[in-house]
Amino acid sequence: MSTIKAEKTAKSLEIPFIREMSEITQHMWRNGWDERNGGNVSYLLDEAEVEKYFDPDNVVRVIEPAFPVNELAGRYFIVTGSGKYFKNVLQDPAGNLGLLRVSKDGSKLELLWGMENKAKPTSELASHFMSHTERLKADPDHRVVIHNHATNVLAMTFIHDLEEAKFTKTLWEMCTECIVVFPEGIGIIPWMVPGSNEIGRATAEKMKEYRSVIWPQHGIFGTGTSIDEAFGLIETIEKAAQIYMLIAHHEIKRRITERELSDLAAAFGVTPRPGILSV
Ligand code: 2HA
Ligand code: ZN
């Protein structure tokens, strides 16, 4: 890397939201969840936070989205680039990430920083933006959508019933903390071609009720009010799926019972999704 490029990278990493995006993508890659260009992240930013570091009038490129984004008009996002490798974000944030604003009329994306060398926003932008729209309706503090190929979640979709209630119950039974972290359960869509508006709509439909959605034989979407929350949710689901994959072929001698799950929920003040536990 040239000295100028290294200095530019160091400077952009001083900006908190660029550092967060660069570090979380690196963590996911190290976890083995983002082989090659797998995975994408989008983070809704406060206008005031962006304006601390960037001139909102300095639009470097205008990008046409493949779908209307009226409901997010005027909002700022930092997103990963299409075809970009999570492995590389930390060493070159400006080449792998982009800071975008949805235009006032919702018809265009205005690039304010990054996506150098004509890079485009993530191929899953439809799923991200449509999910942001639904999650914001459910929770005004919502900010982050993360998609990755969490290994054991993916593996589990080959051997477990994909009915949401059954899948959720199994995950709750795998680790004591699960029912507390995702009492609303997990959404699951059918297998679909990724990168399309259709999968975006199906994912967002689930986001009305769930903060996480599984794409069978592909990966997971997790959302939250911060990078930590969205990532922590995926980590917890992936850990439960890992335990399932470790024990699935063994004789089970002890389970967390439905009564214990119910006691846990009561102790932590969460309401488990109705229709999953029978006590
Ligand atoms: O290429 O993970 O779903 C990024 C993806 C597509
Ligand atoms: Zn993917």
Side-chain angles (χ1 to χ4, degrees):
M1 209 191 297
S2 75
T3 321
I4 296 170
K5 178 98 187 160
E7 277 171 14
K8 245 181 72 185
T9 294
K11 228 169 144 23
S12 37
L13 287 173
E14 284 171 16
I15 299 172
F17 50 84
I18 295 180
R19 173 165 286 279
E20 273 189 285
M21 289 288 284
S22 305
E23 287 180 345
I24 204 65
T25 45
Q26 182 75 199
H27 282 305
M28 288 194 264
W29 172 64
R30 287 195 186 280
N31 282 353
W33 300 345
D34 298 279
E35 68 290 342
R36 201 171 182 274
N37 63 320
N40 21 79
V41 184
S42 61
Y43 182 0
L44 169 60
L45 303 168
D46 288 338
E47 188 170 356
E49 177 74 357
V50 173
E51 289 182 3
K52 269 195 231 168
Y53 307 98
F54 295 94
D55 174 0
D57 296 324
N58 189 18
V59 174
V60 294
R61 183 153 49 101
V62 174
I63 298 162
E64 306 260 349
F67 50 92
V69 270
N70 303 33
E71 287 174 273
L72 298 172
R75 300 280 202 151
Y76 290 85
F77 291 90
I78 185 162
V79 306
T80 50
S82 176
K84 300 300 180 186
Y85 291 28
F86 277 16
K87 173 172 74 66
N88 299 337
V89 180
L90 193 56
Q91 71 203 42
D92 181 16
N96 293 284
L97 302 174
L99 174 63
L100 302 167
R101 177 179 55 217
V102 179
S103 65
K104 283 213 173 65
D105 65 357
S107 71
K108 305 241 169 3
L109 304 173
E110 300 163 334
L111 179 69
L112 298 178
W113 168 87
M115 285 189 192
E116 288 178 344
N117 304 313
K118 302 204 173 83
K120 296 196 189 91
T122 165
S123 60
E124 304 293 0
L125 197 67
S127 288
H128 281 254
F129 276 3
M130 292 176 194
S131 293
H132 280 292
T133 302
E134 291 309 328
R135 288 312 307 159
L136 281 167
K137 287 182 199 160
D139 176 6
D141 292 330
H142 158 84
R143 292 289 177 273
V144 176
V145 175
I146 295 177
H147 164 61
N148 66 36
H149 301 165
T151 312
N152 290 284
V153 170
L154 217 154
M156 192 171 157
T157 65
F158 285 85
I159 63 171
H160 196 284
D161 190 319
L162 292 179
E163 212 238 295
E164 284 162 346
K166 289 187 184 149
F167 205 93
T168 295
K169 187 172 177 213
T170 299
L171 291 175
W172 285 352
E173 289 173 333
M174 292 302 110
C175 309
T176 297
E177 66 169 344
C178 281
I179 197 167
V180 179
V181 177
F182 51 93
E184 85 277 25
I186 310 276
I188 306 178
I189 61 164
W191 187 94
M192 293 173 81
V193 175
S196 60
N197 291 351
E198 289 69 34
I199 201 169
R201 279 191 283 271
T203 306
E205 190 56 35
K206 293 291 180 191
M207 290 290 181
K208 289 179 178 170
E209 291 183 46
Y210 300 99
R211 287 169 299 145
S212 58
V213 176
I214 289 174
W215 288 6
Q217 294 84 49
H218 182 143
I220 185 165
F221 271 73
T223 67
T225 55
S226 64
I227 295 259
D228 273 357
E229 283 290 319
F231 182 70
L233 177 58
I234 293 177
E235 268 186 310
T236 308
I237 297 166
E238 167 63 9
K239 180 61 173 278
Q242 182 180 19
I243 303 300
Y244 180 79
M245 295 308 295
L246 284 169
I247 68 170
H249 311 293
H250 295 271
E251 184 196 347
I252 309 293
K253 298 200 167 152
R254 164 72 165 97
R255 293 183 168 275
I256 307 176
T257 64
E258 293 209 7
R259 164 73 14 228
E260 287 166 339
L261 286 171
S262 184
D263 289 348
L264 264 168
F268 285 88
V270 297
T271 309
R273 182 178 204 81
I276 299 182
L277 300 179
S278 49
V279 291

